[in-house]
Amino acid sequence: MSSTTIRRRPARTIPAILCAALLLGVASTAVWTGVTALSGDAAFLDAAKRVGASSWSSQAVLVAAALAALAGALLVVAALVPGRYNAYLIDHDGIARAALRNAGLETLLTARANTIDGVDTARTTLAARTVDVHITTYLLDRNDLRATVTGILQHRLDELGLARTPRVSVSVSTHKR
Amino acid sequence: MRHTAGRLNRAWLIITGSILLVGGALAAATGLGLLEGRSFSGLRAPGRDQPVLAPAAGDQVLAGALLAAGLVLGILAVLWLLAQVPRKHGASTVKLEDPDGKGLTLVEPALLEDAISTRIEELDDVTGARTVIRGSSRTPDITVRATTTCDAAIPYVVTDIEQHIRHDLRASLGQEPASLAVEIDVRATPKKQSSVTVEAVALDA
């Protein structure tokens, strides 16, 4: 089988970069403190020792401990929550494995919605099992337009041959006159 | 298309997060006096009024330890940052052997990738394509990202791409793809044609 996955969950790049940059900052400070102390200037080391001399019950230590625990919990949650796939699998009978990217699906449905008579603007966002489409219109009969748009977009989705077709959910707002 | 460090990130986030979570919780519990007088595996919890760090070693030893720990941590952090760059992990060189075993042809994968991408871009409703070849000439592993127009019939586009790639690989490498992944993206911009052929029948009308 392929070494390439056709769709991926989030790689958690942003938390990883933040965490690695923070570790690099701590490491740089430690190296700088060590180097200056070994070369005879112990000002940074003395400052570090003063911080370390704080008691466990001091307010600064308690706040730092709470912040560290909170940051740790956030990092663990970020790592354990799988996140949404970046594409929808396409049912295909050939040898190819195919997928439609989420951003592409949003573009496609937004463009289709914009071609419907009565729709002024359209915005599409993907949720876990639904596609949320928000449209604005100058029409007063919003229910009729909602049903029309839902039908057309659901039909367009069915045409795509996705392995799991999401349900279209349309919300309509009327421009104020 | 390109490989990212998803598993590595999640593993290190769990390790770093667990250390921060447990360390922060223990420090807070110590500061609040919840661990007063308790001992774990022979280690007695410090009192809440004791200093956080009371180094017994001299300044030189402490500075050396800080330097060593900082260097190790810094190297790990830099390696983690470098791992964030998405990697192509493509084939280095495609080697085509003569059936008699007397000749060997080396093909740059980029040439094949460009050729496949160009052929796919010629398809109706496809506005752009990028290809990555992995594996070897006997087991080529092809990944294609094709950008289509909004009106494209996606299942037909996928079938067209598959047929073209199978045909082209049979012609160039003498092999079917060992695996083929097709990622479809959609752009609102229509396909640009550099030339249009108008039939005489249409002009008469």
Side-chain angles (χ1 to χ4, degrees):
Chain A
M1 278 304 286
S2 167
S3 62
T4 307
T5 48
I6 188 72
R7 58 180 187 159
R8 290 195 190 86
R9 294 189 186 276
R12 299 294 184 228
T13 306
I14 292 173
I17 287 175
L18 289 176
C19 201
L22 198 68
L23 287 178
L24 190 58
V26 171
S28 306
T29 309
V31 168
W32 179 255
T33 307
V35 168
T36 52
L38 286 174
S39 61
D41 178 10
F44 280 96
L45 189 63
D46 289 341
K49 283 161 81 174
R50 274 199 301 277
V51 172
S54 309
S55 71
W56 287 100
S57 59
S58 69
Q59 198 175 19
V61 171
L62 284 174
V63 169
L67 287 177
L70 181 67
L74 287 176
L75 292 182
V76 171
V77 168
L80 293 180
V81 172
R84 209 150 43 89
Y85 281 114
N86 67 345
Y88 281 85
L89 290 178
I90 297 173
D91 251 341
H92 177 66
D93 292 332
I95 62 163
R97 292 166 301 119
L100 174 59
R101 291 170 63 78
N102 292 352
L105 184 60
E106 286 178 356
T107 306
L108 186 143
L109 292 175
T110 303
R112 182 68 187 95
N114 275 322
T115 63
I116 299 170
D117 186 32
V119 173
D120 185 42
T121 62
R123 194 180 68 244
T124 307
T125 47
L126 298 181
R129 290 166 190 272
T130 59
V131 177
D132 297 326
V133 183
H134 181 76
I135 57 174
T136 55
T137 180
Y138 286 99
L139 298 179
L140 293 176
D141 187 1
R142 290 188 293 182
N143 289 336
D144 193 31
L145 183 64
R146 183 187 294 116
T148 305
V149 173
T150 304
I152 290 173
L153 293 187
Q154 194 66 56
H155 180 252
R156 182 71 178 113
L157 266 178
D158 294 339
E159 284 177 342
L160 299 175
L162 301 178
R164 284 180 66 178
T165 306
R167 190 172 52 79
V168 174
S169 167
V170 178
S171 59
V172 185
S173 60
T174 308
H175 285 298
K176 289 177 182 172
R177 289 160 191 257
Chain B
M1 293 286 283
R2 288 174 183 264
H3 294 166
T4 51
R7 284 183 191 170
L8 178 91
N9 286 350
R10 286 177 191 269
W12 277 108
L13 284 175
I14 287 177
I15 292 169
T16 317
S18 302
I19 291 171
L20 282 174
L21 181 60
V22 173
L26 282 178
T30 306
L32 294 171
L34 300 175
L35 303 178
E36 198 85 55
R38 298 190 184 194
S39 60
F40 304 93
S41 308
L43 288 172
R44 197 161 180 277
R48 62 193 301 262
D49 293 326
Q50 285 183 325
V52 175
L53 290 173
D59 281 2
Q60 294 294 306
V61 177
L62 200 61
L66 270 175
L67 180 61
L71 280 175
V72 171
L73 193 64
I75 290 169
L76 288 175
V78 168
L79 289 177
W80 194 7
L81 280 173
L82 288 177
Q84 303 311 311
V85 180
R87 314 275 171 183
K88 187 176 172 185
H89 290 149
S92 53
T93 312
V94 179
K95 298 174 184 121
L96 300 171
E97 279 187 71
D98 188 288
D100 303 333
K102 292 178 181 172
L104 179 69
T105 306
L106 303 180
V107 183
E108 280 297 316
L111 290 174
L112 285 174
E113 288 168 359
D114 288 346
I116 292 172
S117 299
T118 306
R119 286 272 289 163
I120 292 170
E121 283 170 1
E122 289 169 0
L123 294 173
D124 286 343
D125 295 327
V126 175
T127 57
R130 278 193 297 149
T131 307
V132 175
I133 296 180
R134 298 184 175 95
S136 66
S137 66
R138 293 184 185 189
T139 55
D141 174 358
I142 313 288
T143 305
V144 176
R145 178 178 292 175
T147 306
T148 71
T149 59
C150 293
D151 303 322
I154 305 286
Y156 292 109
V157 171
V158 172
T159 304
D160 276 355
I161 290 172
E162 180 186 312
Q163 284 174 353
H164 270 73
I165 289 176
R166 290 178 76 175
H167 174 267
D168 291 351
L169 279 189
R170 267 199 305 270
S172 58
L173 301 180
Q175 298 285 340
E176 292 266 330
S179 81
L180 173 59
V182 181
E183 293 178 31
I184 301 289
D185 205 353
V186 180
R187 291 276 162 81
T189 47
K191 187 171 175 110
K192 289 178 184 168
Q193 301 277 12
S194 55
S195 64
V196 177
T197 306
V198 182
E199 289 187 21
V201 178
L203 282 175
D204 291 340

